[in-house]
Amino acid sequence: MIVHAIGHPSPRFLKKSIEVMNNRRRFLSDATTGIGSIALGSLLAGDRATAAQPVIDPAQPYAPRPPHYPAKAKNVLVIFCAGAVSQLETWDFKPELIKQDGKPLKDGPAVTFQGPAGALARPQYTFRPRGETGKMVSDMIPHLAELTDEFAFIHSLTSKSNTHGPAENFLSTGFVEDGFPSGGGWVTYALGSENQNLPAFVAIPDPRGVPQASVNNWGAGFLPAEFQGTPFSSKNPIRHLAPPPQVSAAADRAARDYLEKMNQRHLERHPADGQLAARIASYELAARMQLSVPEISDLSTETAQTMAMYGADDTSNPIKAAYAKNCILARRLIESGVRFVQLFNGAYASGGELNWDGHSKLKTQYDRHAEILDQPTAAMIRDMEARGLLEETLVVWCTEFGRMPMFQKGAKGRDHNPDGFTCWLTGAGVRRGVSHGVTDELGRKAVQDIHPLYDLNATILHLLGLDHEQLTFEHNGVQRRLTNVEGHRIAEVLA
């Protein structure tokens, strides 16, 4: 060692020692990073190994595909009540709320989503025991109440948002943000359709308008565009299906035949062009829809008894009649093998006038909304049961969140509540006549068997024979899925 007179190491020695120490630090840092990279690579490889992305022929994107395991249901009908239906006025009976009517909520929030909280308010409708189960259900929905024994209720759902648009996103796509695929998009991406002349996924907007999150509820997100829902209703059919009046049927058919030959010739020259094949398949479906959609939308073939049963002939309430016709259309689509049908009851935020957002005058508004919902929806379920459709169809009734047990201060309505609300299921694979999950004695929060909406979506996929953890799509280097990184099937409602 070279030492200076005062006994300290020389600068050259210090420089050499620092280099050695830096090399050791770099080695340890690199080793740690390398081990982490190996671990991450292993995890990602495991994710890819367990993922079960469907094999899709671009020329036949809607061809039926096998599920991961034997399915209980082949089709899904989702009845989506937009605006957040109050669980306290419908399905979740709370006698303690009647006892504490008019009292302040002890240790409750001073301010909720839209403003100061008022006193606790009893249910605005009488509840009665229904069916063999004796479950207490509201007089607000007498026709649906008669079907109580057919339903499996989940009373303990929770959402991640108390705002309508993001909450609708979360229910339909599993994410509060925009840009993610809807549940119907995931299902048709995985399974295709049993009917090649109709869209695999149809969204039926309410006669009063589209829901708050609009097309996000039936969008394809980052999935291939062909898996987005096709929106149309009995009131607003698909536009531009018929050729212009000046084009004869023969000329239209000749043009389509010529275009098909040209497309086929181009595809033979470029067999690896999957986008071209998908585009051709889309145009071919559109051509077939020119015949199939007008036929399925033509309700004149329904009997007068059927129209009356649904309330589709109700001249005193045109909105109810239009929604009833949408219910008939939904049944006809399911009957024709459409894989996923999303039926909306209620439109966008409007102070509760056009949907179930009952902030200020809940009872007055719910009287109107319930009349529109009740008879047609109950008739649709009875009709599907009579036709044997529920043997292979899962029916889901849902809403984006619930409502608070107190009224808003100075108003006669309830504020948003994402911490405890209800949905129900019936049909294929469902254990009927059960109630699962519990909210507290006032109906404010889920306290037993708590289920985020991820679990509802996982259960829907399970009944279709799909493992929600395996149904993935790689987007921006991430294996995305409907249930994000969460979700468990709700075994208690399964037959």
Side-chain angles (χ1 to χ4, degrees), residues 79 106 216 391:
I79 307 160
K106 184 179 179 181
N216 290 354
E391 294 176 8

Side-chain angles (χ1 to χ4, degrees), residues 247-453:
V247 178
S248 69
D252 182 55
R253 185 166 52 253
R256 288 204 308 267
D257 291 344
Y258 178 72
L259 181 62
E260 182 180 358
K261 290 179 181 178
M262 294 292 290
N263 285 336
Q264 190 61 38
R265 184 182 303 171
H266 191 79
L267 194 60
E268 289 171 358
R269 293 175 181 173
H270 307 278
D273 190 346
Q275 290 187 347
L276 173 63
R279 194 175 301 115
I280 292 172
S282 177
Y283 284 126
E284 288 177 344
L285 174 60
R288 294 193 299 271
M289 284 168 56
Q290 288 184 323
L291 299 175
S292 59
V293 170
E295 180 181 349
I296 203 164
S297 301
D298 180 11
L299 304 188
S300 65
T301 58
E302 297 289 333
T303 66
Q305 291 84 354
T306 297
M307 300 295 280
M309 179 176 70
Y310 279 77
D313 61 350
D314 190 339
T315 56
S316 65
N317 191 334
I319 297 176
K320 174 188 173 184
Y323 173 71
K325 290 174 183 175
N326 283 349
C327 289
I328 297 174
L329 175 62
R331 184 263 293 165
R332 290 166 70 104
L333 289 167
I334 291 292
E335 203 168 22
S336 297
V338 173
R339 182 74 69 185
F340 200 102
V341 178
Q342 196 173 28
L343 173 66
F344 288 91
N345 179 266
Y348 45 82
S350 51
E353 291 299 307
L354 301 176
N355 67 11
W356 294 90
D357 193 21
H359 284 282
S360 59
K361 41 187 178 181
L362 181 145
K363 176 68 165 60
T364 301
Q365 293 170 336
Y366 275 27
D367 284 348
R368 296 201 310 269
H369 300 329
E371 184 181 359
I372 295 167
L373 169 72
D374 186 37
Q375 179 189 348
T377 307
M380 177 177 61
I381 294 168
R382 291 182 187 278
D383 197 11
M384 291 177 68
E385 177 74 48
R387 294 168 185 263
L389 296 175
L390 294 187
E391 294 176 8
E392 294 187 335
T393 303
L394 169 66
V395 179
V396 181
W397 180 92
C398 59
T399 193
E400 66 262 38
F401 45 72
R403 307 203 83 86
M404 289 290 188
M406 55 281 204
F407 275 172
Q408 294 178 227
K409 190 172 183 178
K412 295 290 185 180
R414 305 184 190 277
D415 211 345
H416 301 178
N417 177 15
D419 296 324
F421 58 103
T422 298
C423 84
W424 53 255
L425 302 86
T426 191
V430 175
R431 183 184 172 199
R432 305 182 194 186
V434 299
S435 292
H436 173 69
V438 178
T439 52
D440 62 42
E441 62 182 4
L442 298 174
R444 182 181 168 214
K445 288 187 176 183
V447 293
Q448 180 179 319
D449 298 316
I450 301 170
H451 293 289
L453 284 170

Side-chain angles (χ1 to χ4, degrees), residues 230-241 293-294 297-298 326 329:
T230 301
F232 68 95
S233 67
S234 62
K235 179 181 176 182
N236 295 308
I238 298 176
R239 296 176 296 172
H240 311 306
L241 282 179
V293 170
S297 301
D298 180 11
N326 283 349
L329 175 62

